[in-house]
Amino acid sequence: MANRIHPSILNANLAGLDDEIRRIPSSAGIHIDVMDNHFVPNLTLGLPVVECLRNNHRDAFLDIHLMIENADVHAPAYAELGCESVTFHLEASNAPIRTARQIRSLGSRASIGLRPQTPIEPLADIITEFDMVLIMTVDPGFGGQSFLDGMLGKIRRTREIVKGSGQEIWIQVDGGIAESTIERAVDAGADVFVAGSAVFRAEDPDAMVRSLKDLADARCAGH
């Protein structure tokens, strides 16, 4: 599978998101964090802003990451907008299979997210209900945190579960991804990388996207 870099606009200039997205044409996707100040202690953009971004960037792969309560109720609305991928958290869902199937029925990829303390093993028997698993490599809610090396074992276990399923399921990592950490995440089995601070605080954000992709691809080629 090809490695994908999905910059997180949480660390971009939120007053000029259209321009920020245009600065990273090499990105495979745009990671959009939706936070409600309940599931996580922060409040960010919601459905109306995502709808504007969808309308203004029709060719972009919009990777929605819902860090909100009542995910079963709200997640399908993002699929209805035509976002390519919708991630909701296991901890915020009472019916993850039903919600994933509803997202898929609306034409989007369904993804399940896990906080650092949430184990992957309970999902082993239903992993094929999802197109992607998001392993948080920081505690969700804020950008700019350091990568948690303790999550590498969890990524490895997730990769083994995915292999056992026989399905092509992406493994995304979010938190602390930079040139100094991406190779460790690749070695553990991740193939979709969310990078926020590393990209948007770089002098040339798109050059950083390309650098991260090159590092990931080179690491895979060396295996």
Side-chain angles (χ1 to χ4, degrees):
M1 287 179 59
N3 294 302
R4 300 175 61 91
I5 309 299
H6 290 192
S8 168
I9 60 173
L10 181 64
N11 298 98
N13 175 9
L14 296 179
L17 286 178
D18 285 334
D19 289 337
E20 292 287 74
I21 290 172
R22 294 186 187 101
R23 295 174 72 200
I24 47 173
S26 300
S27 301
I30 306 300
H31 189 82
I32 302 175
D33 292 303
V34 176
M35 306 182 193
D36 63 0
N37 199 32
H38 294 285
F39 182 72
V40 290
N42 203 348
L43 182 66
T44 60
L45 50 86
L47 194 67
V49 175
V50 174
E51 183 175 13
C52 288
L53 294 176
R54 173 74 293 168
N55 291 336
N56 292 348
H57 302 276
R58 301 305 304 180
D59 295 332
F61 184 105
L62 297 189
D63 172 22
I64 308 301
H65 180 192
L66 302 177
M67 288 177 272
I68 60 174
E69 294 182 347
N70 301 318
D72 301 323
V73 173
H74 300 293
Y78 291 85
E80 288 173 353
L81 287 181
C83 298
E84 283 73 13
S85 179
V86 180
T87 299
F88 62 97
H89 269 261
L90 180 64
E91 304 90 351
S93 173
N94 292 317
I97 295 174
R98 185 179 68 204
T99 299
R101 289 180 177 180
Q102 189 172 2
I103 290 169
R104 281 176 160 179
S105 74
L106 292 165
S108 297
R109 295 174 60 88
S111 171
I112 193 76
L114 303 176
R115 290 178 183 267
Q117 68 268 32
T118 302
I120 184 62
E121 285 75 13
L123 288 176
D125 293 335
I126 61 170
I127 198 75
T128 56
E129 297 288 343
F130 308 102
D131 300 293
M132 184 171 75
V133 178
L134 166 56
I135 305 296
M136 292 299 302
T137 45
V138 298
D139 201 36
F142 295 92
Q145 298 183 70
S146 298
F147 184 86
L148 292 174
D149 282 293
M151 293 300 101
L152 293 172
K154 183 174 173 181
I155 298 167
R156 292 187 188 97
R157 294 191 299 275
T158 303
R159 175 52 64 192
E160 289 304 311
I161 291 170
V162 167
K163 283 181 179 178
S165 77
Q167 301 296 308
E168 186 177 296
I169 300 167
W170 297 352
I171 299 177
Q172 183 178 73
V173 289
D174 179 3
I177 294 298
E179 289 175 314
S180 59
T181 58
I182 193 168
E183 291 175 323
R184 277 175 273 164
V186 171
D187 289 345
D191 48 32
V192 184
F193 307 90
V194 177
S197 300
V199 170
F200 286 106
R201 293 179 185 172
E203 184 175 344
D204 184 338
D206 200 56
M208 178 58 69
V209 171
R210 295 193 302 272
S211 176
L212 291 170
K213 178 71 161 62
D214 289 346
L215 285 168
D217 288 348
R219 198 69 172 185
C220 284
H223 288 172

Coordinates of all heavy atoms in Angstrom, one line a residue, residues 167-217:
Q167 N -8.2 -8.0 4.4 CA -8.8 -6.8 3.8 C -7.7 -5.7 3.7 O -6.8 -5.6 4.5 CB -10.0 -6.3 4.6 CG -11.1 -7.3 4.6 CD -11.7 -7.7 3.3 OE1 -12.1 -6.8 2.5 NE2 -11.7 -9.0 3.0
E168 N -7.9 -4.7 2.8 CA -7.1 -3.6 2.7 C -7.6 -2.5 3.6 O -8.5 -1.7 3.2 CB -7.0 -3.1 1.3 CG -6.0 -1.9 1.1 CD -5.8 -1.5 -0.4 OE1 -5.3 -2.3 -1.2 OE2 -6.2 -0.4 -0.7
I169 N -7.1 -2.4 4.8 CA -7.6 -1.4 5.8 C -6.4 -0.5 6.1 O -5.4 -1.0 6.6 CB -8.1 -2.1 7.0 CG1 -9.3 -3.0 6.7 CG2 -8.6 -1.1 8.1 CD1 -9.7 -4.0 7.8
W170 N -6.6 0.8 6.0 CA -5.5 1.7 6.3 C -5.3 1.8 7.8 O -6.3 1.7 8.6 CB -5.8 3.1 5.7 CG -5.9 3.2 4.2 CD1 -5.7 2.2 3.3 CD2 -6.4 4.3 3.5 NE1 -5.9 2.7 2.1 CE2 -6.3 4.0 2.1 CE3 -6.8 5.6 3.9 CZ2 -6.7 4.9 1.1 CZ3 -7.2 6.5 2.9 CH2 -7.2 6.1 1.5
I171 N -4.1 2.1 8.2 CA -3.8 2.4 9.6 C -3.2 3.8 9.7 O -2.1 4.0 9.1 CB -2.8 1.3 10.2 CG1 -3.4 -0.1 10.1 CG2 -2.4 1.7 11.6 CD1 -2.5 -1.2 10.6
Q172 N -3.9 4.7 10.3 CA -3.5 6.1 10.4 C -3.0 6.3 11.8 O -3.5 5.8 12.8 CB -4.7 7.0 10.1 CG -4.4 8.4 10.1 CD -5.6 9.3 9.8 OE1 -6.5 9.4 10.6 NE2 -5.7 9.8 8.5
V173 N -1.9 7.2 11.8 CA -1.4 7.6 13.1 C -1.5 9.2 13.1 O -1.3 9.8 12.1 CB 0.0 7.2 13.4 CG1 0.1 5.7 13.6 CG2 0.9 7.5 12.2
D174 N -1.9 9.7 14.3 CA -2.1 11.1 14.4 C -1.5 11.6 15.8 O -2.0 11.1 16.8 CB -3.6 11.4 14.4 CG -4.0 12.8 14.6 OD1 -3.1 13.7 14.6 OD2 -5.2 13.1 14.6
G175 N -0.5 12.5 15.7 CA 0.0 13.0 16.9 C 1.6 12.9 16.9 O 2.1 11.8 16.9
G176 N 2.2 14.1 16.8 CA 3.7 14.1 16.9 C 4.4 13.5 15.7 O 5.6 13.2 15.8
I177 N 3.7 13.4 14.5 CA 4.4 12.9 13.3 C 5.3 14.0 12.7 O 4.8 15.1 12.5 CB 3.4 12.4 12.3 CG1 2.7 11.2 12.9 CG2 4.1 12.1 11.0 CD1 3.6 10.0 13.2
A178 N 6.5 13.7 12.6 CA 7.5 14.7 12.0 C 8.6 13.8 11.3 O 8.6 12.6 11.3 CB 8.1 15.5 13.1
E179 N 9.6 14.5 10.8 CA 10.7 13.8 10.2 C 11.4 12.9 11.1 O 12.0 11.9 10.8 CB 11.7 14.8 9.6 CG 11.2 15.6 8.3 CD 12.1 16.7 7.8 OE1 12.6 17.4 8.7 OE2 12.4 16.7 6.6
S180 N 11.4 13.3 12.4 CA 12.1 12.5 13.4 C 11.4 11.3 13.9 O 11.9 10.4 14.6 CB 12.5 13.4 14.6 OG 11.3 13.9 15.2
T181 N 10.1 11.2 13.6 CA 9.3 10.1 14.2 C 8.6 9.2 13.1 O 8.2 8.1 13.4 CB 8.1 10.7 15.1 OG1 7.3 11.6 14.3 CG2 8.7 11.4 16.3
I182 N 8.5 9.7 11.9 CA 7.6 9.0 10.9 C 8.2 7.6 10.6 O 7.4 6.6 10.4 CB 7.4 9.8 9.6 CG1 6.3 9.2 8.7 CG2 8.8 10.0 8.8 CD1 5.9 10.1 7.6
E183 N 9.5 7.4 10.6 CA 10.1 6.1 10.3 C 9.7 5.1 11.3 O 9.5 3.9 11.0 CB 11.6 6.3 10.1 CG 12.0 7.1 8.9 CD 13.5 7.3 8.8 OE1 14.2 7.5 9.9 OE2 14.1 7.2 7.7
R184 N 9.6 5.5 12.6 CA 9.2 4.5 13.6 C 7.8 4.1 13.4 O 7.4 2.9 13.6 CB 9.3 5.2 15.0 CG 10.8 5.1 15.6 CD 10.8 5.9 16.9 NE 11.1 7.3 16.7 CZ 10.9 8.3 17.6 NH1 10.4 8.0 18.8 NH2 11.2 9.5 17.3
A185 N 6.9 5.0 13.0 CA 5.5 4.7 12.7 C 5.4 3.8 11.5 O 4.6 2.8 11.5 CB 4.7 6.0 12.5
V186 N 6.2 4.0 10.5 CA 6.3 3.1 9.3 C 6.7 1.7 9.7 O 6.1 0.7 9.4 CB 7.2 3.7 8.2 CG1 7.4 2.6 7.1 CG2 6.7 5.0 7.7
D187 N 7.8 1.6 10.5 CA 8.2 0.3 10.9 C 7.2 -0.5 11.7 O 7.1 -1.7 11.6 CB 9.5 0.5 11.8 CG 10.7 0.9 11.1 OD1 10.7 0.9 9.8 OD2 11.7 1.4 11.7
A188 N 6.3 0.3 12.5 CA 5.3 -0.4 13.3 C 4.1 -0.9 12.4 O 3.4 -1.7 12.8 CB 4.8 0.5 14.4
G189 N 4.0 -0.3 11.2 CA 2.9 -0.7 10.3 C 1.9 0.3 9.9 O 0.9 0.0 9.2
A190 N 2.1 1.6 10.2 CA 1.2 2.6 9.8 C 1.5 3.0 8.3 O 2.6 2.8 7.8 CB 1.4 3.9 10.6
D191 N 0.4 3.4 7.6 CA 0.6 3.9 6.2 C -0.1 5.2 5.9 O 0.0 5.7 4.8 CB 0.1 2.8 5.3 CG -1.2 2.2 5.6 OD1 -2.1 2.9 6.2 OD2 -1.5 1.0 5.4
V192 N -0.8 5.8 6.9 CA -1.4 7.1 6.7 C -1.0 7.9 7.9 O -1.2 7.6 9.0 CB -3.0 7.0 6.6 CG1 -3.5 8.4 6.3 CG2 -3.4 6.0 5.6
F193 N -0.4 9.1 7.6 CA 0.3 9.9 8.6 C -0.3 11.3 8.7 O -0.3 12.0 7.7 CB 1.8 10.0 8.3 CG 2.4 8.6 8.1 CD1 2.5 8.0 6.9 CD2 2.9 7.9 9.2 CE1 3.0 6.7 6.7 CE2 3.4 6.6 9.1 CZ 3.4 6.0 7.8
V194 N -0.8 11.6 9.8 CA -1.3 13.0 10.0 C -0.2 13.8 10.6 O 0.4 13.5 11.7 CB -2.5 13.0 11.0 CG1 -3.0 14.4 11.3 CG2 -3.7 12.1 10.4
A195 N 0.1 14.9 10.0 CA 1.2 15.8 10.4 C 0.6 17.2 10.4 O 0.1 17.7 9.4 CB 2.4 15.7 9.5
G196 N 0.7 17.9 11.6 CA 0.2 19.2 11.7 C 1.2 20.3 11.9 O 1.6 21.0 11.0
S197 N 1.8 20.3 13.1 CA 2.9 21.3 13.4 C 4.0 21.2 12.4 O 4.6 22.2 12.0 CB 3.3 21.1 14.8 OG 2.3 21.3 15.7
A198 N 4.4 19.9 12.1 CA 5.6 19.7 11.3 C 5.4 20.3 9.9 O 6.4 20.8 9.3 CB 5.9 18.2 11.2
V199 N 4.2 20.3 9.4 CA 3.9 20.8 8.1 C 3.7 22.3 8.1 O 4.4 23.1 7.4 CB 2.7 20.1 7.5 CG1 2.3 20.8 6.2 CG2 3.0 18.7 7.2
F200 N 2.8 22.8 8.9 CA 2.4 24.2 8.8 C 3.3 25.2 9.6 O 3.2 26.4 9.4 CB 0.9 24.3 9.3 CG 0.0 23.8 8.3 CD1 -0.7 22.6 8.5 CD2 -0.3 24.5 7.1 CE1 -1.6 22.1 7.6 CE2 -1.2 24.0 6.2 CZ -1.8 22.9 6.4
R201 N 4.2 24.6 10.4 CA 5.2 25.5 11.0 C 6.5 25.5 10.2 O 7.5 26.1 10.6 CB 5.5 25.1 12.4 CG 4.2 25.4 13.3 CD 4.5 25.0 14.7 NE 3.2 25.1 15.5 CZ 3.1 24.7 16.8 NH1 4.1 24.1 17.4 NH2 1.9 24.9 17.4
A202 N 6.5 24.7 9.1 CA 7.7 24.6 8.2 C 7.8 25.9 7.3 O 6.7 26.5 7.0 CB 7.7 23.4 7.4
E203 N 9.0 26.2 6.9 CA 9.1 27.4 6.0 C 8.4 27.1 4.7 O 7.8 28.0 4.1 CB 10.6 27.7 5.8 CG 10.9 28.9 4.9 CD 12.4 29.2 4.8 OE1 13.2 28.7 5.6 OE2 12.7 30.0 3.9
D204 N 8.5 25.9 4.2 CA 7.8 25.5 3.0 C 6.9 24.3 3.3 O 7.4 23.1 3.3 CB 8.8 25.2 1.9 CG 8.2 24.8 0.6 OD1 7.0 24.4 0.6 OD2 8.9 24.9 -0.4
P205 N 5.6 24.5 3.6 CA 4.8 23.3 4.1 C 4.8 22.2 3.0 O 4.8 21.0 3.4 CB 3.4 24.0 4.2 CG 3.7 25.4 4.6 CD 4.9 25.7 3.8
D206 N 4.7 22.5 1.7 CA 4.6 21.4 0.8 C 5.9 20.7 0.6 O 5.9 19.4 0.4 CB 4.2 22.0 -0.6 CG 3.6 20.9 -1.5 OD1 2.6 20.2 -1.1 OD2 4.1 20.7 -2.6
A207 N 7.0 21.3 0.8 CA 8.3 20.6 0.8 C 8.4 19.7 2.0 O 8.9 18.6 1.9 CB 9.5 21.6 0.9
M208 N 7.8 20.0 3.1 CA 7.7 19.1 4.3 C 6.9 17.9 4.0 O 7.2 16.8 4.4 CB 7.3 19.9 5.5 CG 7.1 19.0 6.7 SD 8.7 18.2 7.2 CE 9.7 19.6 7.7
V209 N 5.7 18.1 3.3 CA 4.9 17.0 3.0 C 5.6 16.0 2.1 O 5.6 14.8 2.3 CB 3.6 17.5 2.2 CG1 2.8 16.3 1.6 CG2 2.7 18.3 3.1
R210 N 6.4 16.6 1.1 CA 7.1 15.7 0.2 C 8.3 15.0 1.0 O 8.5 13.8 0.7 CB 7.7 16.5 -0.9 CG 6.6 17.1 -1.9 CD 7.2 17.6 -3.2 NE 8.2 18.6 -3.0 CZ 8.0 19.9 -2.9 NH1 6.7 20.4 -2.9 NH2 9.0 20.8 -2.7
S211 N 8.9 15.7 1.9 CA 10.0 15.1 2.7 C 9.4 13.9 3.6 O 10.0 12.8 3.6 CB 10.6 16.1 3.6 OG 11.6 15.5 4.4
L212 N 8.3 14.1 4.2 CA 7.7 13.1 5.0 C 7.3 11.9 4.2 O 7.5 10.7 4.5 CB 6.5 13.6 5.7 CG 6.7 14.6 6.8 CD1 5.4 15.3 7.3 CD2 7.5 14.0 8.0
K213 N 6.8 12.1 3.0 CA 6.4 11.0 2.1 C 7.6 10.3 1.6 O 7.7 9.0 1.6 CB 5.7 11.6 0.9 CG 5.3 10.6 -0.2 CD 4.2 9.7 0.3 CE 3.4 9.0 -0.9 NZ 4.3 8.1 -1.7
D214 N 8.7 11.0 1.3 CA 9.9 10.3 0.9 C 10.5 9.5 2.0 O 11.0 8.4 1.7 CB 11.0 11.4 0.4 CG 10.6 12.1 -0.9 OD1 9.7 11.5 -1.6 OD2 11.2 13.1 -1.2
L215 N 10.5 10.0 3.2 CA 11.0 9.2 4.3 C 10.2 7.9 4.5 O 10.8 6.9 4.8 CB 11.0 10.1 5.6 CG 12.1 11.1 5.7 CD1 11.7 12.1 6.9 CD2 13.5 10.5 5.9
A216 N 8.9 8.0 4.5 CA 8.1 6.9 4.6 C 8.3 5.9 3.5 O 8.4 4.6 3.8 CB 6.6 7.3 4.7
D217 N 8.4 6.3 2.3 CA 8.5 5.4 1.2 C 9.9 4.7 1.2 O 10.0 3.5 1.0 CB 8.4 6.2 -0.1 CG 7.0 6.6 -0.4 OD1 6.1 6.1 0.3 OD2 6.8 7.4 -1.4

